[in-house]
Amino acid sequence: MTLMTDLYPSRGETPVALQARLDPVFYGDPATPSGPLSRGEISQYETNGFLFFESFLSPDEVALYAEELERLRHDPSIRKREDVFLEPRDGGVRSIFNVHRNAPLFQQLAQDGRILDRVRQILHGPVYIHQSRINYKPGFTGKEFYWHSDFETWHAEDGMPRMRALSCSIALTENNECNGSLMIIPGSHRLFVPCRGQTPENHYKVSLKKQEYGVPDPDSLNRLVERGGIFSAKGPPGSMVLFECNAMHGSNGNISPWARSNIFFVYNSAENSLAAPFCGLDPRPEFIASRDFTPLAFHATSSR
Amino acid sequence: MTLMTDLYPSRGETPVALQARLDPVFYGDPATPSGPLSRGEISQYETNGFLFFESFLSPDEVALYAEELERLRHDPSIRKREDVFLEPRDGGVRSIFNVHRNAPLFQQLAQDGRILDRVRQILHGPVYIHQSRINYKPGFTGKEFYWHSDFETWHAEDGMPRMRALSCSIALTENNECNGSLMIIPGSHRLFVPCRGQTPENHYKVSLKKQEYGVPDPDSLNRLVERGGIFSAKGPPGSMVLFECNAMHGSNGNISPWARSNIFFVYNSAENSLAAPFCGLDPRPEFIASRDFTPLAFHATSSR
């Protein structure tokens, strides 16, 4: 690990002002698209910081992955694994990390040409998986996930130097106005919101349940929402969002009976591999922030 | 107070099955409407248990009431009143009860002919205000309000004998898919869901913050939602919902920056005035469950 200049300081004791993004959003040449994304989609991604693809996976594919998630969730051997997170309230399996390594079906999907072509077009060049997980959010008691920029955490706690990564979230259940779907603030990826407060050690053990560090202040959030509003990623099962690593996002709780499940892959450019965490602590575990920077190869190029 | 047969038993130690409603929903003669509601609206109310009126109040009226709410919220003399509820987190004023008595502008609105004609048409005959309040729900930290039937509480804790009451909720802010708007389960008013658990004394002091008794079980909720789905009362400021006292409703939390404010009046038929609470405890305070059953007179008949 090399020591690098911190271009996006955060987690200090004193408040720091909003900072303009120093990195490109789209890394390719927008004028000559070299992948499945059209010039219009590229322009949307640059402006809003995300792209929404309704019903990206077919109903058959959704059924396959949803079944595999259920199988894994109820596999008794999985509960003790370090990379599996349980619901404090009822002990149910909430998140399984590392599925791009440990679960062959999801490993294939992470390398599926339909996704990978788009990701490589945006990030330009070879990419690897920084983090992967499948999530099950129950109905009735689904908790909120407060606003955050993933990059803020990945930079401070994982040592990701620049903004050259994106998340792919694929819904396995319907997301509607009642079950707390993902909300993104359009345009928020263009500003970096430094967050107050020294990060405690082993923060990841609580931060995935309740975020207390890396929390943006209300004034900055107001400013972002006044400029961009809020996009709610509603849609049928199989819908996919690709969103920029610094896009501000979150989700409300869910008292509806409708559970939410999704697949989550984070792609990072192989040219943006991790340095030492900028918050000064030890790196988070491998299953949360991979340090295997080997670029992904295509698994299969399904047509669509 | 007279002792009466409990037609809707709840709050016992043992589970009780869902029970069919024993009371009418619309108390007038649906064939010959004698008020502003059309036959179509009456039929909708009977089927769904609520009616939604988009932009019922004009923007000028909304501004007037919103200003008055702000004035009252920031009146230092109001904070110590028993009928004012504060936000535990920041001490801000969250709800002001009894506004149909103590706040002239809201007193007038509670008797406004546009509302009262509709209410009297549904409940048939003289009505009085069982409870009134104005609510301010902040953005960022707005808490969820779990599913409940108001009638279940009003019956058990206030001694309301029959289902012959309704709530009028008027939004003073926009309700959208991101800020936790009121959700109602259409058709749920036709079944009574008994809730488990003996009610503790002075339950109202905590129940308005976090409900632990009068909470319906997940199986019943699943059954209601499978039949009726969920209606989300989204709309511009000034929109009004009239909903039946036994309609199952709730709202998700709100991490969006958009606060929500509303005016809330509960109308009960003067022929359905309160008996002793069916849970066996003392009645709740007057500002939560009025025992002044004097019927409302019209204040003004604004045309619309």
Side-chain angles (χ1 to χ4, degrees):
Chain A
M1 281 180 256
T2 41
L3 283 172
M4 301 179 73
T5 311
D6 186 352
L7 296 173
Y8 297 103
S10 190
R11 313 280 176 109
E13 289 299 359
T14 48
V16 190
L18 281 181
Q19 177 188 323
R21 177 191 183 99
L22 302 171
D23 295 308
V25 176
F26 181 82
Y27 278 81
D29 176 3
T32 53
S34 56
L37 296 177
S38 66
R39 262 189 283 261
E41 288 174 313
I42 294 169
S43 161
Q44 267 185 53
Y45 186 81
E46 293 215 273
T47 305
N48 296 329
F50 65 88
L51 286 170
F52 182 71
F53 302 88
E54 194 169 303
S55 303
F56 187 81
L57 295 188
S58 72
D60 284 352
E61 288 177 295
V62 170
L64 180 75
Y65 297 120
E67 205 172 283
E68 182 67 359
L69 167 59
E70 279 310 288
R71 195 187 66 75
L72 290 169
R73 281 185 64 228
H74 293 98
D75 176 348
S77 73
I78 221 171
R79 303 178 55 84
K80 286 175 221 126
R81 270 174 32 191
E82 185 203 31
D83 56 6
V84 171
F85 281 70
L86 308 180
E87 188 75 45
R89 191 187 291 243
D90 64 2
V93 170
R94 172 175 159 173
S95 297
I96 305 171
F97 283 74
N98 233 344
V99 290
H100 73 289
R101 290 193 182 115
N102 294 338
L105 260 181
F106 295 106
Q107 187 175 26
Q108 283 173 35
L109 184 61
Q111 299 172 71
D112 188 294
R114 292 170 296 174
I115 302 171
L116 210 44
D117 278 350
R118 288 168 168 83
V119 172
R120 288 208 259 224
Q121 193 181 354
I122 293 171
L123 301 180
H124 196 62
V127 299
Y128 71 95
I129 298 269
H130 171 67
Q131 184 189 100
S132 70
R133 61 178 195 259
I134 48 180
N135 298 301
Y136 171 82
K137 290 197 170 195
F140 297 122
T141 58
K143 287 286 154 258
E144 68 179 40
F145 211 127
Y146 198 69
W147 299 109
H148 62 288
S149 148
D150 287 330
F151 176 77
E152 194 278 341
T153 296
W154 299 339
H155 182 73
E157 300 193 22
D158 299 337
M160 186 182 284
R162 313 290 298 234
M163 297 176 182
R164 194 174 176 178
L166 63 80
S167 295
C168 163
S169 175
I170 302 176
L172 293 177
T173 46
E174 185 190 65
N175 282 339
N176 59 42
E177 62 198 21
C178 297
N179 68 348
S181 58
L182 174 69
M183 300 188 288
I184 308 179
I185 304 178
S188 57
H189 63 303
R190 296 198 162 272
L191 287 168
F192 180 69
V193 183
C195 301
R196 278 183 77 174
Q198 291 287 341
T199 317
E201 285 192 37
N202 288 322
H203 179 226
Y204 76 93
K205 289 190 179 172
V206 292
S207 70
L208 296 165
K209 292 171 192 155
K210 182 167 169 25
Q211 192 79 20
E212 289 181 46
Y213 300 85
V215 177
D217 63 288
D219 286 349
S220 299
L221 288 171
N222 272 325
R223 193 168 147 191
L224 295 176
V225 172
E226 271 160 26
R227 291 161 39 122
I230 298 177
F231 171 82
S232 180
K234 296 179 301 184
S239 298
M240 174 173 84
V241 196
L242 298 183
F243 60 104
E244 212 281 330
C245 59
N246 187 46
M248 194 63 78
H249 62 287
S251 58
N252 279 322
N254 174 24
I255 68 163
S256 90
W258 301 314
R260 295 195 302 125
S261 300
N262 73 328
I263 305 167
F264 190 74
F265 299 130
V266 179
Y267 297 91
N268 188 24
S269 165
E271 295 172 32
N272 191 38
S273 58
L274 305 188
F278 291 93
C279 69
L281 296 177
D282 285 342
R284 299 197 294 176
E286 178 72 21
F287 71 86
I288 292 185
S290 173
R291 288 181 183 267
D292 175 353
F293 311 130
T294 314
L296 291 176
F298 284 94
H299 179 267
T301 310
S302 316
S303 62
R304 184 170 183 268
Chain B
M1 280 180 252
T2 41
L3 283 171
M4 300 180 73
T5 310
D6 186 353
L7 296 173
Y8 297 103
S10 190
R11 313 278 176 111
E13 289 298 0
T14 47
V16 190
L18 280 182
Q19 178 189 321
R21 178 190 182 99
L22 302 171
D23 296 306
V25 176
F26 181 82
Y27 278 82
D29 175 3
T32 54
S34 55
L37 297 177
S38 67
R39 261 190 284 262
E41 288 174 314
I42 294 168
S43 160
Q44 266 185 51
Y45 186 81
E46 293 216 273
T47 305
N48 297 329
F50 64 89
L51 287 169
F52 181 72
F53 302 88
E54 193 169 303
S55 303
F56 187 80
L57 295 188
S58 72
D60 284 351
E61 289 177 295
V62 170
L64 180 75
Y65 296 120
E67 207 172 283
E68 182 66 358
L69 167 59
E70 279 309 289
R71 194 187 65 75
L72 290 168
R73 281 185 63 228
H74 293 98
D75 177 349
S77 73
I78 219 170
R79 302 178 56 83
K80 288 175 218 126
R81 271 174 33 191
E82 185 202 32
D83 56 6
V84 171
F85 282 71
L86 307 180
E87 189 74 44
R89 191 187 291 243
D90 63 3
V93 170
R94 173 175 159 173
S95 297
I96 304 171
F97 284 74
N98 233 345
V99 290
H100 72 291
R101 290 194 182 114
N102 294 338
L105 260 181
F106 295 106
Q107 187 175 26
Q108 282 173 35
L109 184 62
Q111 299 172 69
D112 189 293
R114 291 170 296 175
I115 302 171
L116 209 45
D117 279 349
R118 286 168 169 83
V119 172
R120 288 208 261 224
Q121 192 182 354
I122 292 171
L123 301 179
H124 197 61
V127 298
Y128 71 95
I129 298 268
H130 171 66
Q131 183 190 102
S132 71
R133 61 178 195 260
I134 48 179
N135 299 302
Y136 172 82
K137 291 196 168 194
F140 297 123
T141 59
K143 287 287 154 257
E144 67 178 41
F145 211 127
Y146 198 68
W147 299 109
H148 62 288
S149 148
D150 288 329
F151 176 77
E152 195 278 339
T153 296
W154 299 339
H155 181 74
E157 300 192 22
D158 299 337
M160 186 181 284
R162 314 288 298 236
M163 297 176 183
R164 193 173 177 179
L166 63 80
S167 295
C168 164
S169 175
I170 302 177
L172 294 177
T173 46
E174 185 190 67
N175 283 337
N176 58 42
E177 63 197 20
C178 296
N179 67 348
S181 57
L182 174 69
M183 300 188 289
I184 308 179
I185 305 179
S188 57
H189 63 303
R190 296 198 162 271
L191 287 168
F192 180 69
V193 183
C195 301
R196 278 183 78 173
Q198 291 287 339
T199 317
E201 286 191 36
N202 288 323
H203 179 225
Y204 76 94
K205 290 191 179 173
V206 291
S207 71
L208 295 166
K209 292 172 192 155
K210 183 167 169 26
Q211 192 78 20
E212 289 183 46
Y213 300 86
V215 177
D217 63 288
D219 286 350
S220 299
L221 288 171
N222 272 325
R223 195 170 145 190
L224 295 176
V225 172
E226 272 161 25
R227 288 162 41 125
I230 298 176
F231 172 80
S232 180
K234 295 179 301 183
S239 298
M240 175 174 83
V241 195
L242 297 183
F243 60 103
E244 212 282 329
C245 59
N246 188 46
M248 193 64 78
H249 62 288
S251 59
N252 278 321
N254 173 24
I255 67 163
S256 90
W258 300 313
R260 294 194 304 125
S261 299
N262 74 326
I263 305 168
F264 190 73
F265 300 130
V266 179
Y267 297 91
N268 188 25
S269 165
E271 295 173 31
N272 191 38
S273 59
L274 305 187
F278 292 93
C279 69
L281 296 177
D282 286 341
R284 299 196 293 176
E286 179 71 21
F287 72 86
I288 293 185
S290 173
R291 287 180 185 268
D292 175 356
F293 310 130
T294 315
L296 290 177
F298 283 94
H299 178 269
T301 308
S302 317
S303 62
R304 182 166 186 270

